Amino acid sequence: MIFAILPVKCPQNAKQRLTGFLAVEQREALARMLYRQTLAALCQAEGIDRVVVATSDPDIADHARQSGALVFEENEQVSHSVSADAACLRAMEMGASTVLLVPIDVPTVTSADFTRLAASARPGLIVVPSSDGTGTNALVRTPPNCIQSRFGPGSFRAHLDQALSKGLPTDVLRLPGLMFDIDTPEDVAEFIAGPHQCEVSSFLRAACEFPRSATGRRSGGFDRARGRRHR
């Protein structure tokens, strides 16, 4: 069976790199929107047997159950990697042969992206990199404990090296909808400058209030994202 695992930290503590750019209540609202949008895409995808949300937040857990997802409750979230690996072990106990590890903060992802991700499953490791090529935005692990999670700076190389050191079949899958994530003000600027129309884009455009000049460039804000960050 293929399980999709979505670790979700408490929204009150999410998006810390947007501190000073969005107010704390805006960051929390953004995190909840990103979570709901990503979970909806997962639940609509084909080829996934169970969708799991790992969280310590009661509201997130309630929403997940109402959406038909299985909830792995946590007392606290030490890190994305710890939550992901603990959820992988629990999924294995329930019969999972493959896990998809995905983040919430991928506002351009679609159910078709998750369907393709599930269809890529085979023995070994598949890595979806971040758009700058250094971070990791998704993992497909068969079996679920074939490697340990190393999310953070340089995680793309860390995950590949770990798999290769174990002699695991390894591949890289570049899905544009999964490669773009929102962590920094530059990411927000790039996202709202694009053609995206969804709850997240509407919220961020209203929150940022970046007016367009006659040339279409944003005054008082960002034109395009210039830096990237690492998951």
Side-chain angles (χ1 to χ4, degrees):
M1 289 197 295
I2 295 178
F3 280 44
I5 296 175
L6 186 65
V8 184
K9 70 165 60 175
C10 287
Q12 297 92 330
N13 301 323
K15 300 292 132 202
Q16 292 296 316
R17 298 186 68 181
L18 293 176
T19 300
F21 183 76
L22 295 177
V24 61
E25 63 271 13
Q26 291 176 316
R27 298 198 306 273
E28 178 180 349
L30 173 61
R32 292 188 185 279
M33 287 180 199
L34 287 166
Y35 151 73
R36 289 195 301 267
Q37 188 167 296
T38 302
L39 180 63
L42 273 175
C43 291
Q44 293 164 11
E46 299 177 359
I48 297 173
D49 297 298
R50 297 297 299 268
V51 175
V52 176
V53 172
T55 188
S56 61
D57 184 86
D59 292 335
I60 294 293
D62 287 345
H63 177 274
R65 291 189 183 98
Q66 292 169 13
S67 301
L70 179 66
V71 175
F72 288 171
E73 294 185 3
E74 300 179 297
N75 294 325
E76 62 177 345
Q77 188 179 59
V78 177
S79 70
H80 189 85
S81 293
V82 170
S83 293
D85 287 348
C88 283
L89 294 178
R90 291 184 65 179
M92 288 183 70
E93 293 174 354
M94 299 179 67
S97 57
T98 294
V99 295
L100 318 180
L101 291 172
V102 299
I104 68 166
D105 53 353
V106 280
T108 63
V109 76
T110 65
S111 59
D113 290 320
F114 288 132
T115 296
R116 186 177 171 192
L117 188 67
S120 73
R122 55 169 177 69
L125 178 71
I126 296 171
V127 185
V128 178
S130 58
S131 57
D132 70 348
T134 65
T136 301
N137 277 19
L139 292 174
V140 182
R141 296 174 11 180
T142 308
N145 63 347
C146 65
I147 66 165
Q148 292 183 317
S149 296
R150 293 288 185 268
F151 295 106
S155 64
F156 175 70
R157 190 73 258 167
H159 287 134
L160 287 181
D161 287 348
Q162 189 182 166
L164 292 172
S165 71
K166 295 184 174 185
L168 297 173
T170 306
D171 203 358
V172 176
L173 180 62
R174 291 180 169 83
L175 295 173
L178 261 172
M179 292 175 66
F180 178 79
D181 55 358
I182 289 183
D183 272 339
T184 67
E186 290 79 12
D187 298 331
V188 173
E190 180 174 358
F191 180 62
I192 64 178
H196 312 291
Q197 298 295 330
C198 61
E199 183 184 19
V200 172
S201 62
S202 297
F203 171 79
L204 286 173
R205 289 187 180 109
C208 296
E209 296 181 351
F210 286 166
R212 290 183 182 274
S213 68
T215 64
R217 295 170 66 87
R218 294 187 179 278
S219 58
F222 298 93
D223 288 329
R224 297 292 295 172
R226 302 188 181 278
R228 297 299 297 167
R229 70 276 152 262
H230 314 280
R231 183 177 297 285

